[in-house]
């Protein structure tokens, strides 16, 4: 099985993409190998746009989408089969595999791209190519474009435009097919299990990294390729550093442990879950008060996910619950509406409540189109992840109370992955528990 999704899914995506391109030809390059150090490379990970349209998991490839041609609308340039290279670096599909397994109408060795690109683009009404990201392919595209501009006056055709393929493609990627949702469910299931395991093993005296090891071992045991992103295993005040990934401290009794970790099933379908619990099994009064508040905000925000709603509305719901609660706890003073308007809570809650989830963990797709927030539709998937982070890293806004030391060093986030359905939502990560009772032991 060359791809994680049936070949028909990729074929349908290409058909939709070709239709939306109108008469414009698209050039979508694969990702290159990236050097880690010396002659070692990072494990290969395909360009998500290229993967979305092809399912082809090799570097040194370029996909052409040519709606202006009758017979060869999907052309792949790929690394040619070569025994020596395959002995060192592994199997390649080659041009025959590109046609037989990946549905290309035609395939050529990547070495022929410079000679052939101009000809393939001839007759298109424009070229869709993402400038600034593909330094090897970009000069070839610009050269082909230049040649077409040179020919335009004589051919009598209007000059070609160079446009970005991203808006079209990312709009398509925002809506997940049933088969994609199935893979996301599996990534979320494995990720949720790892969080349950982590809570069972975490105890004072262990290091954050030992807990990280339990989580990541479970990902791989369950068949996932690895982590979707650098796992955050943050005890106590470390949880107030949003992108903490050192994971090198000891776990202390009396502190909370925040874990933000998810597996990547096959490099392209990811879970993204955060849970926070007391390391010694019991919340302190302050920890419990803030945990209950974040949980209330998170549950209200999850309930605000549904068709016709917006990510902005989900965020607004979480912020309102948090601000009301922080006022009751004396961590904010003033009118709720004014506090929200002025952002007077941002020293305690400084990030948005979620992001699209898909092939990329922070997936592509617009949140607003001009003045209008994008409305949620069935098939869209987003995270819902409010939190509170009480430390003195950020200044307390003027007019707000200084933070009593008893609150400091408490960082809490609760994050679920939520798919929009026809009538509401499906919490893909529901099997990771989050009630106060479940967090204690
Ligand atoms: Mg996360
Ligand atoms: Mg997230």
């Amino acid at each position: 099985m060359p791809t994680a999704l049936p070949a028909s899914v990729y074929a349908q995506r290409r058909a939709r993409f070709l239709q939306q391109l109108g008469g414009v030809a698209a050039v979508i390059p694969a990702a290159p190998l990236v050097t880690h150090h010396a002659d070692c490379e990072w494990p290969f990970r395909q360009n998500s746009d290229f993967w979305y349209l092809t399912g082809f998991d090799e570097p040194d490839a370029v996909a052409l989408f040519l709606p202006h041609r009758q017979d060869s609308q999907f052309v792949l340039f790929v690394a040619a089969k070569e025994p020596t290279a395959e002995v060192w670096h592994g199997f390649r599909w080659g041009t025959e595999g590109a046609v037989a397994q990946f549905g290309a109408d035609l395939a050529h060795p990547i070495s022929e791209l410079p000679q052939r690109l101009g000809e393939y683009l001839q007759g298109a009404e424009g070229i869709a190519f993402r400038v600034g990201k593909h330094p090897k392919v970009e000069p070839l595209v610009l050269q082909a474009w230049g040649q077409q501009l040179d020919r335009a006056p004589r051919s009598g055709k209007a000059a070609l435009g160079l446009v970005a393929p991203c808006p079209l493609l990312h709009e398509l990627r925002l809506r997940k097919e049933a088969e994609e949702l199935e893979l996301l469910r599996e990534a979320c299931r494995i990720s949720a299990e790892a969080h349950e395991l982590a809570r069972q093993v975490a105890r004072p005296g262990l290091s954050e990294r030992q807990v990280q090891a339990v989580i990541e071992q479970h990902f791989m045991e369950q068949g996932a390729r690895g982590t979707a992103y650098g796992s955050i295993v943050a005890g106590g005040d470390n949880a107030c550093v949003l992108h903490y990934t050192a994971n090198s401290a000891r776990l202390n009794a009396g502190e909370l442990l925040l874990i933000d970790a998810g597996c990547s099933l096959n490099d392209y379908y990811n879970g993204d879950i955060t849970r926070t619990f007391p390391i010694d099994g019991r919340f302190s009064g302050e920890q419990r008060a803030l945990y209950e508040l974040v949980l209330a905000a998170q549950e209200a925000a999850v309930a605000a996910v549904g068709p016709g709603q917006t990510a902005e509305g989900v965020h607004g719901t979480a912020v309102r619950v948090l601000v009301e609660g922080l006022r009751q706890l004396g961590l904010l003073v003033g009118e709720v509406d004014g506090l929200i308007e002025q952002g007077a809570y941002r020293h305690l809650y400084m990030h948005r409540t979620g992001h699209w989830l898909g092939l990329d963990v922070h997936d592509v797709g617009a949140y607003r189109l001009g003045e209008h927030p994008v409305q949620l539709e069935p098939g869209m998937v987003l995270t819902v992840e409010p939190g509170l982070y009480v430390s003195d890293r950020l200044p307390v806004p003027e007019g707000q109370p200084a933070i009593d030391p008893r609150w400091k060093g408490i960082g809490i986030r609760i994050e679920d992955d939520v798919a929009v359905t026809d009538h509401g939502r499906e919490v893909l990560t529901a099997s990771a528990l989050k009630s106060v009772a479940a967090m204690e032991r």
Side-chain angles (χ1 to χ4, degrees):
M1 181 75 181
T3 58
L5 291 172
S8 59
V9 170
Y10 295 102
Q12 284 160 14
R13 289 172 179 175
R14 287 193 292 272
R16 278 198 295 274
F17 184 50
L18 279 161
Q19 191 190 6
Q20 297 212 353
L21 282 168
V24 172
V27 182
I28 312 285
L33 278 167
V34 180
T35 302
H36 184 200
H37 55 81
D39 58 354
C40 289
E41 281 134 358
W42 291 103
F44 177 69
R45 203 282 189 183
Q46 191 55 279
N47 167 11
S48 299
D49 286 343
F50 185 94
W51 172 262
Y52 181 79
L53 292 167
T54 66
F56 187 74
D57 195 17
E58 292 182 23
D60 295 325
V62 172
L64 303 185
F65 298 89
L66 309 167
H68 59 291
R69 291 175 71 99
Q70 290 298 317
D71 51 344
S72 49
Q73 296 197 323
F74 171 40
V75 177
L76 272 176
F77 287 81
V78 301
K81 286 197 77 66
E82 194 188 308
T84 308
E86 291 186 50
V87 163
W88 283 92
H89 303 294
F91 175 81
R92 292 175 177 181
W93 284 103
T95 51
E96 280 179 28
V99 172
Q101 296 291 331
F102 295 90
D105 297 316
L106 285 171
H108 306 284
I110 188 74
S111 58
E112 295 180 14
L113 184 67
Q115 302 95 280
R116 292 185 183 269
L117 182 63
E119 195 186 315
Y120 272 123
L121 295 179
Q122 218 170 336
E125 288 168 16
I127 302 172
F129 176 75
R130 176 63 166 86
V131 173
K133 290 273 189 195
H134 310 287
K136 278 191 180 164
V137 180
E138 186 169 311
L140 303 178
V141 173
L142 294 181
Q143 192 186 6
W145 186 34
Q147 285 166 355
Q148 305 230 353
L149 292 176
D150 289 342
R151 277 197 291 264
R154 267 180 291 155
S155 69
K157 286 189 177 158
L160 291 173
L162 190 64
V163 297
C166 322
L168 283 182
L169 209 40
H170 296 177
E171 173 91 10
L172 292 175
R173 281 177 54 187
L174 202 44
R175 294 165 186 79
K176 277 72 182 171
E177 297 103 339
E179 295 88 343
E180 273 194 296
L181 286 170
E182 210 38 61
L183 294 178
L184 271 166
R185 273 187 204 104
E186 176 69 354
C188 289
R189 178 190 68 78
I190 296 170
S191 305
E193 282 174 0
H195 278 265
E196 291 295 301
L197 271 179
R199 206 171 61 252
Q200 287 164 24
V201 302
R203 73 184 83 88
L206 283 187
S207 75
E208 293 165 340
R209 186 157 298 129
Q210 284 171 297
V211 178
Q212 178 188 0
V214 169
I215 292 166
E216 296 183 7
Q217 178 176 348
H218 185 74
F219 291 168
M220 288 197 244
E221 276 176 355
Q222 290 294 306
R225 177 142 164 190
T227 57
Y229 51 92
S231 304
I232 298 171
V233 183
D237 178 67
N238 291 336
C240 298
V241 177
L242 298 178
H243 292 169
Y244 175 82
T245 52
N247 301 350
S248 54
R250 292 263 142 219
L251 302 181
N252 299 316
E255 293 183 340
L256 299 180
L257 179 59
L258 180 152
I259 300 176
D260 185 345
C263 77
S264 187
L265 203 56
N266 56 1
D267 267 352
Y268 306 102
Y269 290 96
N270 307 297
D272 184 2
I273 302 180
T274 310
R275 292 292 183 264
T276 311
F277 58 88
I279 290 164
D280 55 12
R282 282 279 150 203
F283 284 110
S284 73
E286 288 79 12
Q287 289 166 350
R288 178 187 298 264
L290 291 182
Y291 187 86
E292 283 175 345
L293 177 52
V294 174
L295 184 59
Q298 204 258 358
E299 286 177 337
V302 168
V305 173
Q309 305 301 311
T310 65
E312 200 139 308
V314 173
H315 177 62
T317 300
V319 167
R320 183 160 291 273
V321 175
L322 289 175
V323 168
E324 283 171 356
L326 289 167
R327 240 178 112 248
Q328 280 168 16
L329 294 171
L331 283 155
L332 292 177
V333 294
E335 284 298 311
V336 170
D337 287 336
L339 290 168
I340 292 173
E341 215 164 285
Q342 293 151 26
Y345 58 88
R346 289 205 189 111
H347 59 305
L348 301 168
Y349 181 42
M350 61 295 286
H351 60 77
R352 299 288 294 182
T353 299
H355 51 82
W356 303 128
L357 180 72
L359 295 183
D360 294 337
V361 176
H362 288 191
D363 207 27
V364 295
Y367 294 87
R368 302 184 64 84
L369 293 171
E371 282 301 292
H372 305 286
V374 169
Q375 291 206 337
L376 299 179
E377 291 174 25
M380 293 182 176
V381 181
L382 68 164
T383 68
V384 179
E385 49 177 311
L388 287 172
Y389 312 91
V390 191
S391 77
D392 39 23
R393 290 177 180 80
L394 292 175
V396 175
E398 217 181 293
Q400 293 305 316
I403 298 166
D404 191 297
R406 70 195 173 99
W407 297 105
K408 287 186 186 172
I410 300 178
I412 297 166
R413 179 165 63 255
I414 304 172
E415 175 176 29
D416 281 307
D417 305 336
V418 185
V420 183
T421 62
D422 288 341
H423 303 292
R425 72 211 63 84
E426 175 187 350
V427 180
L428 303 173
T429 48
S431 55
L433 303 180
K434 61 186 176 186
S435 70
V436 171
M439 295 301 102
E440 293 194 320
R441 63 166 184 264

